[in-house]
Amino acid sequence: MSESTLITLNESDVSVNPAEVKTTCAYCGVGCGFVVSEGAKKEDARELQADKDHPANKGRFCVKGSSQLDTIGLDNRLLYPRVDGRQVSWDEALDETARRLRDTIAEHGPDSVAFYVSGQLLTEDYYVANKLMKGFIGSANIDTNSRLCMSTAVAAHKRVLGSDSVPGCYEDLESADLIVITGSNMAWTHPVVYQRIMAAKAARPHMKLVVIDPRKTVTAESADLHLQLKPGTDAFLFDGLFAHLVRTAALDIEFIEQCTKGFNDVAGNSLKRSPSGRVVAERCGLPEKQVSEFFHLFAATEKTVTVFSQGINQSANGVEKASAILHCHLATGRIGKPGASPFSITGQPNAMGGREVGGLANQLAAHMDLENAQHRDIVQGFWGSVHIAQRPGLKAVDLFEAIHNGKVKFVWIMATNPVVSLPDAGRVSEALKKCECVVVSDCVADTDTLRLAHIKLPAAGWGEKDGTVTNSERCISRQRAFLPLPADVKPDWWIICRIAERLGFGKQFAYQMPADIFIEHAKLSAFKNDGSRDFDIGGLASLSHQDYNELGPTYWPIRAGQSTGSTRLFADGKFFTDDGRARFVETGLQGPVIENTLQFPLILNTGRIRDQWHTMTRTGRSAKLQQHRTEVFAEFHPEDLKKYGIQNDQLVSLISPLGRCVMRASVNAGQSPGAVFAPIHWNDCFTSAGRIDSLIPAVCDPVSGQPAFKQTAVKAEALLSEWQALLISRERLSLPANHYWNYRLLDGLHVYNIEGKEHFDLAHIKRQLTDENYKIAELTDSDSNSARVIAYNKKTVFAGLFVWPGSESGNTHKPDENWLLSEFRTQSAENKFIPVRMLALGRAVHGNVEGALICTCHQVREAAIQSAISNGCCSVETIGQCTRAGTQCGSCVPELRKLIQTAGLATQQLPFSADSQVAPDNFMQEESVC
Amino acid sequence: MNRSRPHLLIVGNGMATNRLLTQLQLLAPDSFRITVIGQEKVPAYNRILLTPWLNGEISTEELRLQDTEWYTRQEINMHLGDGAAGIDVKEKKLRCESGREFDWDLLVLATGSQALIPPVPGHDLEGVMCLRTQNDAAVLRRRCSGGRVKSEIAVVGGGVLGLEAACAINAMGLPVTVIHRDGWLMNRQLDKEAGEQLADAIRARGIKVYTGVNCTKFIASKKMPSVLRGVELLPLDNSAPDTLPQQLPCHTAVLAIGIKPEISLAKAAGLTCERAIVVDEWMRTSAENIFALGECCQINREMFGLVAPVYQQADVLASLLADGKWQRANPAQCCYKTKTLATRLKVAGLDVYSVGLIPDNISRSLIWRDRSQGHYRRMWLHNNQVVAAVAMGDTDGVSEYASLIDQHTQCSDPISLLLGGQLPADQQPGRKTSGRDVAA
């Protein structure tokens, strides 16, 4: 069986690698379409272009997506199965995994095992994982990292709309007259959607943009109105808005009467709760004027879209916040209409696909509910399963808690890194250390989670896997393979089905290709549906393998007989509740659940940065993407830096009752005083103590079980260091303990920035270099905080270590990192090298430090832009003309604007006039670059 | 010949004198009647080039400082091969060994120095010699050629001169051993590590090097009691090799343990002398109209062994004489100023550089070691000012250091100074000195 499947796999491999492959991005939920083309000649590099025909991006690109080919190399890939540290054959690995799974179930029952899966999986992988656990192992202990980003939106959708359906689509963002963005730094996290909004705004300048965020993010900077509210007070604001709509009768009475239920109670309570704009303003810490401006704008603008994301979802009362948003749209009848909808945008490429197959522990399949006996019968009948799960399983946080207390003894983690991404991450790694059997399937060789795995299964990565994903606007796209499977690597669906076989379910998992799975998924969605359920892709149930291979972007629902899906839902006012009416759900009113204390006076907010994705396992491999923010950091308001005696660029400890992180303090006047921001990406593979989630308590929304990543009480302490060091090596080296370090992989160069107080143990590094039989040249200084070590041989300079005293950033002893890197690169490229002595010097003898990299696409640094500005470039597009900065992906346009404004040259109307030129033409030229 | 011109009598025909003559010819042609008295028969030569001349690296012509016609053109009366025996300050008369007498209006003593001879039994044997004059070099050359090739030559003294000599002899394919009293070679210019690395580099050429070893006796041949047969060795400290033989058989021993100023003439004449003839910053001795310069003089206790300060002295004296105001208490024009000078070992393929005085207790020192290439660099600083530096194997850019020491330049980034040979742009000192400073 596995033999035959292998063969079909190889055949399908042969069928891939045509000259041009249409696929989708592996990163955020925007779900952009890409075209990957072979170079003209075989030796030419592949080219990645944005797909002009894909409805999500229409030829647009962001920097993460456009750098994706940098991440497909085979270094740091998991290429062979390993059991208890031994490399083994697939048969052995599968037998062993199945045995341990079977034995655990036999001894402790189905609920003693669990899968923890991921929005990175393709729908087909997701479908079989869910089917195996819920339909055949008979437990619902399968949850997904979508729990961390989308489960709140899911819960709110189901409570208010009756089904987990996103009513609108991206086009609504272009046709709206008012866009409210709350809890999203879209310019960095969903850059292409942001570009579409900016382009539309430039084309229709009367379009208004309101951004609600406790930080002045780059997104907020392009808003007409930025409500910089107190962290966690969004619910106050939207309940206040709802009350305002009621008070001013800015309502769609007809819609409310015919299509909804429960309005009067909620309206009454809301009026009592939020008697006036002034009260709301006080609660949110906002000027009353701003609040009423927002309320009037919303009330007066028919075509309004409210975009919400993690800032809403990742909080202890997220469902309430999301519900409040939905209420405002129900009350005004602005749902599922062109340019008028609430819009939850998802974090991951296939969070939606996961929701569709029922990948969450409290879902069943095809948007059917576990608690619903009728649904269980439908699914069980369809699957022909013996015992189907009867009750919801453990949600992510509870799941790992159950592993910690020994209730769950076997866990299979697929394509995700919970030791980094879950709250109280320290406890998560404890739990996995205690767990009897941890199986991890992943495409990379080293993650904080893999380090704790007993069984490692090499899974296919982006470019190798083949299947479908669904993006934030319910658009199903094919993600296609353009690379052969390397070594022993297999797709996740194949691995799962082989295990199912070994558990005795071969018949029900006898798929030959992803297409077989998708078609079954489509059939199930239509099975006994008849319009009773939102998720119905019956229209795709009869695809042939070829149709599937050629399937273009398709919106759901697409019911049997329909040739195209619907881009919008609920325009007809029919909802998927028993009575077809949407619900106003009384929620009570909670403010922020986490409050700061005397001991932990700061509120920690976490989020993404522009050029990194999740835990950096892939973006960490692209040199280009390491340059926007080179080091793990925490952003403070200037007042807080003063208050806690921290210098900008100094190392700080962020401390919560759960743990401690060490990061580079960075001043940002856009922070609210009392609030500190830290990125979610860095982890033990990249820095000494940067796993921010190890500070965050496992406080979850009571309904959705989604953790509150956005608010944690912490304190900050400055760290005094005596010295700093830079280590550049052609191989990864081990570092002496007890120092801060930050790691980057830049074109095969391993770069470490190290800093500390206690004496730096040079011998620890030199030992490794001499082991490699390199010659050592070194500078020793009677000042023990100053040293140079260069390891080289006839052919190459292998490594350079630079230690200098002091910790301030503008230190005169500091070597010029950019210069050093280019010297190392030149050497490997042209085998040319300056004398070892000059290299040890660490900078060109008349040094040149070009400053921070602003435009990653065209590698334009701040110095170049500054000089352009001082040469009279006073707008984003003129800078683009003379430096090319900002003319490709546009991600850095907000930073460019900031540079102009700080240079004091910005004109009043610049923020939008700039985009009006930049947006359209630079998107046009995109296929010509990258 | 116009007799009214003052008669300038110069004793000694070395490099100092030559520089003085050329300068005078530039500044005050025809204003003096000039006579030069030289002990050696040969015309003036460049002493620094004696070792390369020894092993034939350069020709005799290249060794000359001037061709003979030049002296005739300048109407300079050269009295060579007849050293000065005595001077009468009152009578302004000088007597040569031949008895020949000269009078003067102005007398310049440029008598240079002699090699130190250790007070060791047998130092007068045939085969024990120094390497000071062209004649010495010629003699050594003769002893190195002919039949004796097999047997050993000893060089006593591991300073610059000794090492240059040893390398020259080695280059002629002869077995040579360097015997050095102190713990490491060039101990006055180098730190221990550099000195030892230098010894390794020299041994690598096939030269034996004994450090921490004293030469206690020159042993006479049994058959020919006036002829050298070997030297007796005595270990002084633990830097001496355990396998040190008691005797080193050799037919020639070259003494290079140092120099002493030649001041007998001045002393006899009653001029104020200490270790050398005392002169002021204008090269004036205690006696009116008598001047001294070069290795035979001292200024504020400073003595001279390198050519650069000697040339400066010649320039100072030349302009003093040209101005004719040498009798004033404080002549207006430039006077001698002491400068930090670097020492370089002039041996092909053996780059050694040293500048400044290596302090005993320093606030900071940095070392660059690139052993596989035989590179070594060290710098000593005090209060962020460079006080000394040495470099071996690779001396790129080190010529900057001397001026930094002179100017007490504040150096906040000694690493770029040590490795790059220069300060970062923002710390560049205004003036730079360059040109090679060489041992004379």
Side-chain angles (χ1 to χ4, degrees):
Chain A
M1 170 68 189
S2 62
E3 270 314 303
S4 66
T5 324
L6 263 168
I7 291 152
T8 44
L9 269 178
N10 297 346
E11 282 164 358
S12 65
D13 289 352
V14 181
S15 73
V16 299
N17 308 338
E20 201 172 77
V21 176
K22 288 197 166 199
T23 183
T24 54
C25 181
Y27 297 131
C28 78
V30 177
C32 296
F34 289 170
V35 180
V36 181
S37 47
E38 297 290 328
K41 287 184 255 60
K42 200 89 215 83
E43 61 273 22
D44 293 355
R46 281 192 185 74
E47 279 189 6
L48 181 66
Q49 290 155 6
D51 183 351
K52 289 200 295 303
D53 306 327
H54 197 286
N57 56 316
K58 299 180 176 167
R60 289 180 176 80
F61 242 163
C62 82
V63 63
K64 279 192 290 287
S66 60
S67 311
Q68 205 144 200
L69 288 179
D70 302 355
T71 68
I72 59 176
L74 289 187
D75 54 312
N76 191 35
R77 275 296 300 272
L78 184 61
L79 294 172
Y80 300 94
R82 301 184 76 82
V83 173
D84 300 327
R86 243 170 0 99
Q87 180 179 324
V88 299
S89 72
W90 263 114
D91 277 334
E92 191 176 346
L94 294 164
D95 292 343
E96 192 53 25
T97 309
R99 188 186 62 72
R100 297 186 191 187
L101 182 53
R102 202 184 309 107
D103 295 355
T104 317
I105 296 168
E107 197 176 334
H108 308 283
D111 288 338
S112 66
V113 302
F115 295 169
Y116 184 65
V117 301
S118 160
Q120 304 288 310
L121 291 177
L122 302 182
T123 300
E124 292 75 5
D125 305 318
Y126 232 134
Y127 178 86
V128 289
N130 186 60
K131 180 182 178 183
L132 176 58
M133 181 52 84
K134 287 180 184 148
F136 292 84
I137 291 173
S139 164
N141 282 349
I142 174 171
D143 210 39
T144 150
N145 61 5
S146 296
R147 176 72 57 195
L148 312 181
C149 57
M150 293 325 303
S151 53
T152 286
V154 173
H157 283 151
K158 290 177 80 170
R159 280 198 333 178
V160 177
L161 310 179
S163 61
D164 175 21
S165 340
V166 173
C169 61
Y170 296 145
E171 275 175 2
D172 295 331
L173 297 166
E174 291 163 330
S175 51
D177 298 323
L178 169 63
I179 296 178
V180 180
I181 299 175
T182 177
S184 165
N185 180 14
M186 194 187 266
W188 281 8
T189 59
H190 299 85
V192 166
V193 168
Y194 173 78
Q195 289 171 21
R196 286 181 69 164
I197 293 174
M198 285 298 126
K201 201 171 186 327
R204 302 169 45 236
H206 70 277
M207 178 199 273
K208 288 272 172 280
L209 180 60
V210 175
V211 172
I212 300 163
D213 198 309
R215 289 193 302 153
K216 191 167 180 42
T217 61
V218 287
T219 310
E221 274 159 13
S222 43
D224 301 79
L225 174 62
H226 174 210
L227 301 179
Q228 191 161 9
L229 77 186
K230 259 191 2 228
T233 58
D234 323 58
F236 292 148
L237 187 65
F238 281 96
D239 188 68
L241 172 61
F242 184 70
H244 173 84
L245 296 170
V246 177
R247 206 177 297 113
T248 59
L251 303 166
D252 184 336
I253 303 294
E254 191 187 354
F255 183 84
I256 293 171
E257 279 172 353
Q258 289 171 12
C259 313
T260 71
K261 206 166 142 188
F263 173 78
N264 292 338
D265 304 352
V266 176
N269 295 331
S270 177
L271 283 171
K272 284 196 221 82
R273 281 193 299 254
S274 309
S276 72
R278 188 177 44 74
V279 175
V280 174
E282 277 164 12
R283 286 175 181 158
C284 300
L286 289 167
E288 186 178 353
K289 193 180 146 300
Q290 280 189 3
V291 171
S292 56
E293 185 183 352
F294 167 53
F295 286 179
H296 288 114
L297 211 48
F298 192 99
T301 315
E302 193 50 43
K303 286 190 158 201
T304 294
V305 175
T306 305
V307 181
F308 63 101
S309 190
Q310 307 315 342
I312 295 296
N313 299 346
Q314 293 180 335
S315 53
N317 51 351
V319 173
E320 177 199 320
K321 292 173 181 172
S323 305
I325 292 169
L326 296 174
H327 288 164
C328 295
H329 277 266
L330 282 182
T332 51
R334 297 172 191 163
I335 187 159
K337 298 178 183 153
S341 239
F343 200 154
S344 146
I345 51 175
T346 56
Q348 298 197 80
N350 201 29
M352 293 283 277
R355 286 149 68 171
E356 291 150 18
V357 302
L360 292 158
N362 51 331
Q363 299 175 327
L364 183 47
H367 280 199
M368 286 182 272
D369 294 323
L370 259 171
E371 291 95 328
N372 182 323
Q374 188 198 351
H375 285 174
R376 286 202 301 272
D377 296 341
I378 293 176
V379 175
Q380 184 165 18
F382 181 84
W383 277 346
S385 66
V386 196
H387 33 63
I388 192 161
Q390 299 296 314
R391 59 187 180 285
L394 296 162
K395 299 179 179 131
V397 169
D398 308 335
L399 170 56
F400 281 86
E401 192 50 40
I403 295 171
H404 199 284
N405 64 34
K407 286 204 187 68
V408 168
K409 299 172 177 339
F410 174 107
V411 63
W412 184 356
I413 297 163
M414 302 178 199
T416 185
N417 194 1
V419 173
V420 179
S421 52
L422 278 174
D424 200 351
R427 191 166 172 86
V428 170
S429 63
E430 270 175 35
L432 290 180
K433 286 193 193 104
K434 290 164 71 176
C435 187
E436 284 173 17
C437 181
V438 178
V439 182
V440 177
S441 345
D442 208 317
C443 61
V444 294
D446 184 24
T447 69
D448 296 25
T449 302
L450 272 162
R451 290 173 183 186
L452 303 175
H454 302 100
I455 299 180
K456 303 179 182 179
L457 305 175
W462 180 81
E464 298 158 359
K465 23 189 205 179
D466 196 60
T468 58
V469 294
T470 309
N471 71 2
S472 296
E473 58 168 355
R474 285 174 290 99
C475 181
I476 298 169
S477 304
R478 290 277 280 107
Q479 192 177 102
R480 295 183 174 90
F482 55 90
L483 296 165
L485 293 170
D488 276 3
V489 164
K490 299 292 178 206
D492 289 283
W493 69 265
W494 182 91
I495 303 170
I496 297 156
C497 292
R498 300 292 76 73
I499 295 297
E501 259 166 47
R502 282 163 171 74
L503 295 177
F505 309 121
K507 207 167 103 290
Q508 296 89 340
F509 288 81
Y511 311 103
Q512 298 296 301
M513 336 195 124
D516 303 333
I517 303 170
F518 182 81
I519 284 150
E520 178 179 313
H521 170 53
K523 287 188 176 136
L524 173 58
S525 73
F527 187 59
K528 301 191 179 165
N529 186 324
D530 314 317
S532 65
R533 308 191 303 264
D534 66 327
F535 182 70
D536 184 341
I537 55 171
L540 303 174
S542 51
L543 295 180
S544 70
H545 282 183
Q546 189 183 352
D547 300 335
Y548 175 82
N549 284 335
E550 293 164 2
L551 182 67
T554 310
Y555 293 85
W556 66 259
I558 171 169
R559 302 185 189 274
Q562 295 178 331
S563 56
T564 58
S566 5
T567 52
R568 297 185 183 83
L569 284 166
F570 313 126
D572 57 0
K574 296 265 165 304
F575 294 86
F576 296 97
T577 49
D578 43 22
D579 57 9
R581 290 165 167 266
R583 297 283 190 277
F584 287 91
V585 183
E586 178 48 40
T587 56
L589 183 73
Q590 291 177 40
V593 171
I594 293 95
E595 298 281 7
N596 54 347
T597 64
L598 269 176
Q599 196 193 354
F600 299 100
L602 292 162
I603 291 295
L604 168 67
N605 182 2
T606 65
R608 294 179 184 167
I609 64 170
R610 194 186 79 196
D611 290 5
Q612 290 300 333
W613 170 257
H614 281 192
T615 64
M616 300 166 77
T617 51
R618 280 172 299 158
T619 44
R621 296 153 61 124
S622 163
K624 214 164 114 189
L625 297 180
Q626 303 312 306
Q627 302 176 60
H628 172 240
R629 295 309 286 264
T630 58
E631 197 175 9
V632 60
F633 66 94
E635 281 180 339
F636 294 82
H637 188 279
E639 284 174 18
D640 290 326
L641 284 184
K642 236 191 262 100
K643 193 160 161 197
Y644 301 107
I646 302 164
Q647 305 297 320
N648 185 28
D649 277 328
Q650 182 176 23
L651 285 182
V652 285
S653 292
L654 283 188
I655 302 163
S656 88
L658 292 182
R660 177 172 169 277
C661 282
V662 178
M663 306 178 150
R664 182 76 55 197
S666 168
V667 67
N668 179 353
Q671 283 294 118
S672 303
V676 52
F677 173 83
I680 62 171
H681 309 290
W682 275 269
N683 56 68
D684 293 355
C685 295
F686 291 88
T687 186
S688 46
R691 274 192 302 146
I692 197 68
D693 290 343
S694 62
L695 305 190
I696 295 172
V699 175
C700 296
D701 181 284
V703 184
S704 71
Q706 178 161 348
F709 287 105
K710 296 295 184 186
Q711 299 113 30
T712 305
V714 298
K715 65 178 166 185
E717 289 172 359
L719 285 177
L720 303 168
S721 30
E722 296 294 328
W723 51 266
Q724 292 177 303
L726 170 66
L727 172 61
I728 301 174
S729 165
R730 296 197 189 273
E731 278 166 37
R732 189 145 194 179
L733 301 174
S734 97
L735 299 178
N738 327 326
H739 304 315
Y740 162 85
W741 57 268
N742 183 86
Y743 166 81
R744 281 169 296 153
L745 177 60
L746 306 177
D747 308 327
L749 294 173
H750 303 259
V751 181
Y752 305 79
N753 299 85
I754 316 165
E755 188 169 324
K757 198 175 193 336
E758 298 77 24
H759 181 60
F760 181 48
D761 177 14
L762 290 170
H764 182 99
I765 303 291
K766 277 158 71 181
R767 219 174 297 118
Q768 297 172 72
L769 301 175
T770 40
D771 291 352
E772 304 281 336
N773 293 320
Y774 287 100
K775 298 175 183 130
I776 300 282
E778 66 181 313
L779 179 139
T780 50
D781 190 335
S782 55
D783 172 349
S784 61
N785 288 329
S786 155
R788 300 278 194 273
V789 179
I790 307 288
Y792 68 102
N793 63 17
K794 271 194 211 62
K795 276 192 238 60
T796 178
V797 169
F798 175 74
L801 173 63
F802 305 79
V803 187
W804 63 97
S807 60
E808 67 280 14
S809 50
N811 188 317
T812 56
H813 308 284
K814 188 175 190 160
D816 179 346
E817 187 178 292
N818 298 326
W819 178 81
L820 278 167
L821 290 171
S822 74
E823 287 299 330
F824 268 82
R825 291 202 187 93
T826 329
Q827 200 239 358
S828 38
E830 300 148 42
N831 201 24
K832 277 200 311 245
F833 219 87
I834 58 167
V836 172
R837 174 169 52 81
M838 298 310 277
L839 186 73
L841 177 51
R843 66 167 87 97
V845 174
H846 299 294
N848 61 327
V849 187
E850 308 162 78
L853 187 82
I854 301 293
C855 172
T856 315
C857 300
H858 292 308
Q859 298 287 296
V860 188
R861 293 187 172 277
E862 183 168 347
I865 293 162
Q866 292 291 14
S867 70
I869 293 174
S870 54
N871 294 338
C873 295
C874 61
S875 72
V876 173
E877 71 275 15
T878 50
I879 287 181
Q881 283 150 13
C882 50
T883 67
R884 295 185 75 203
T887 58
Q888 187 187 150
C889 74
S891 305
C892 61
V893 165
E895 275 123 310
L896 294 178
R897 196 179 299 128
K898 207 182 213 158
L899 287 172
I900 297 168
Q901 277 157 348
T902 48
L905 290 166
T907 57
Q908 238 8 347
Q909 73 285 12
L910 177 71
F912 303 116
S913 65
D915 288 306
S916 63
Q917 281 85 359
V918 171
D921 18 289
N922 74 50
F923 296 144
M924 286 311 101
Q925 33 167 286
E926 260 158 27
E927 66 279 359
S928 68
V929 267
C930 236
Chain B
M1 191 191 283
N2 167 7
R3 294 210 144 272
S4 68
R5 286 184 300 169
H7 182 217
L8 171 62
L9 182 61
I10 303 173
V11 185
N13 188 26
M15 300 178 76
T17 298
N18 181 73
R19 175 74 168 211
L20 180 60
L21 292 173
T22 45
Q23 287 299 308
L24 280 173
Q25 187 247 333
L26 287 174
L27 302 174
D30 313 325
S31 39
F32 297 99
R33 223 163 16 98
I34 301 176
T35 306
V36 175
I37 294 180
Q39 193 167 30
E40 296 177 64
K41 251 197 182 54
V42 293
Y45 57 87
N46 183 340
R47 194 183 305 285
I48 299 159
L49 299 180
L50 277 180
T51 42
W53 180 73
L54 171 65
N55 62 349
E57 268 178 53
I58 63 159
S59 69
T60 309
E61 287 61 40
E62 291 168 298
L63 195 62
R64 297 261 168 276
L65 288 166
Q66 303 289 359
D67 48 38
T68 22
E69 298 74 53
W70 186 83
Y71 296 98
T72 348
R73 276 207 308 280
Q74 308 306 321
E75 298 175 347
I76 297 169
N77 169 25
M78 301 300 286
H79 182 75
L80 301 182
D82 182 15
I87 46 179
D88 181 333
V89 174
K90 221 188 261 78
E91 296 301 317
K92 296 189 165 185
K93 280 199 186 322
L94 174 143
R95 189 171 25 79
C96 293
E97 280 148 354
S98 63
R100 167 98 185 257
E101 287 198 344
F102 292 88
D103 55 8
W104 77 79
D105 301 305
L106 302 162
L107 177 66
V108 173
L109 299 174
T111 48
S113 62
Q114 291 180 341
L116 274 176
I117 308 291
V120 169
H123 64 73
D124 48 2
L125 290 173
E126 178 194 344
V128 180
M129 58 177 297
C130 18
L131 185 50
R132 185 76 200 141
T133 63
Q134 189 179 357
N135 186 52
D136 295 337
V139 171
L140 181 56
R141 204 180 209 177
R142 242 175 285 116
R143 299 185 69 85
C144 292
S145 53
R148 299 205 205 68
V149 175
K150 284 289 141 281
S151 83
E152 195 70 45
I153 293 179
V155 172
V156 182
V160 172
L161 181 61
L163 294 177
E164 284 176 8
C167 291
I169 294 163
N170 167 262
M172 290 186 281
L174 292 150
V176 55
T177 302
V178 176
I179 302 157
H180 188 57
R181 209 175 174 293
D182 295 273
W184 61 89
L185 297 179
M186 286 180 69
N187 53 292
R188 283 177 55 227
Q189 293 90 4
L190 300 180
D191 63 322
K192 189 163 184 291
E193 184 170 349
E196 288 171 347
Q197 197 176 322
L198 175 57
D200 295 341
I202 286 179
R203 288 195 182 98
R205 304 179 161 222
I207 299 172
K208 278 210 224 69
V209 177
Y210 297 146
T211 58
V213 171
N214 202 358
C215 169
T216 47
K217 184 179 178 196
F218 298 98
I219 306 155
S221 140
K222 297 215 168 45
K223 290 189 223 68
M224 293 173 286
S226 67
V227 176
L228 176 74
R229 191 194 80 216
V231 294
E232 192 176 76
L233 303 178
L234 175 71
L236 292 174
D237 62 34
N238 50 11
S239 69
D242 320 339
T243 60
L244 182 74
Q246 285 190 331
Q247 290 191 2
L248 176 76
C250 58
H251 63 77
T252 305
V254 180
L255 302 179
I257 56 174
I259 55 170
K260 63 169 197 292
E262 174 48 73
I263 60 173
S264 43
L265 204 60
K267 255 208 169 101
L271 302 181
T272 311
C273 295
E274 289 170 1
R275 288 167 62 206
I277 305 166
V278 175
V279 298
D280 64 10
E281 292 87 341
W282 292 272
M283 320 317 298
R284 298 180 295 192
T285 67
S286 54
E288 207 176 298
N289 302 340
I290 302 183
F291 309 85
L293 78 164
E295 291 173 333
C296 67
C297 78
Q298 70 179 56
I299 303 173
N300 308 324
R301 296 252 148 72
E302 185 188 1
M303 316 225 327
F304 310 97
L306 299 178
V307 75
V310 173
Y311 278 176
Q312 192 199 346
Q313 292 163 5
D315 300 351
V316 167
L317 181 54
S319 49
L320 180 74
L321 296 175
D323 281 24
K325 299 177 185 145
W326 56 82
Q327 263 144 347
R328 293 204 185 160
N330 233 334
Q333 79 283 68
C334 67
C335 65
Y336 175 83
K337 287 191 191 64
T338 176
K339 262 202 214 139
T340 305
L341 295 166
T343 309
R344 283 176 189 263
L345 188 65
K346 295 169 306 308
V347 174
L350 200 60
D351 235 352
V352 180
Y353 171 93
S354 163
V355 66
L357 286 178
I358 297 172
D360 312 329
N361 52 347
I362 35 83
S363 60
R364 190 162 179 203
S365 113
L366 301 91
I367 306 177
W368 168 250
R369 295 182 182 89
D370 189 352
R371 290 222 172 78
S372 63
Q373 302 191 68
H375 294 177
Y376 176 88
R377 257 179 208 218
R378 185 168 186 183
M379 175 174 287
W380 291 263
L381 297 101
H382 192 70
N383 307 332
N384 289 336
Q385 293 175 15
V386 184
V387 292
V390 304
M392 272 217 49
D394 160 18
T395 58
D396 280 7
V398 294
S399 37
E400 302 281 337
Y401 299 160
S403 61
L404 294 176
I405 294 175
D406 263 351
Q407 299 165 25
H408 306 286
T409 309
Q410 278 295 319
C411 167
S412 69
D413 185 5
I415 289 184
S416 19
L417 189 54
L418 181 73
L419 297 179
Q422 55 179 295
L423 291 165
D426 54 326
Q427 294 177 35
Q428 295 285 347
R431 187 172 53 87
K432 293 179 189 165
T433 58
S434 58
R436 56 191 257 138
D437 307 312
V438 286

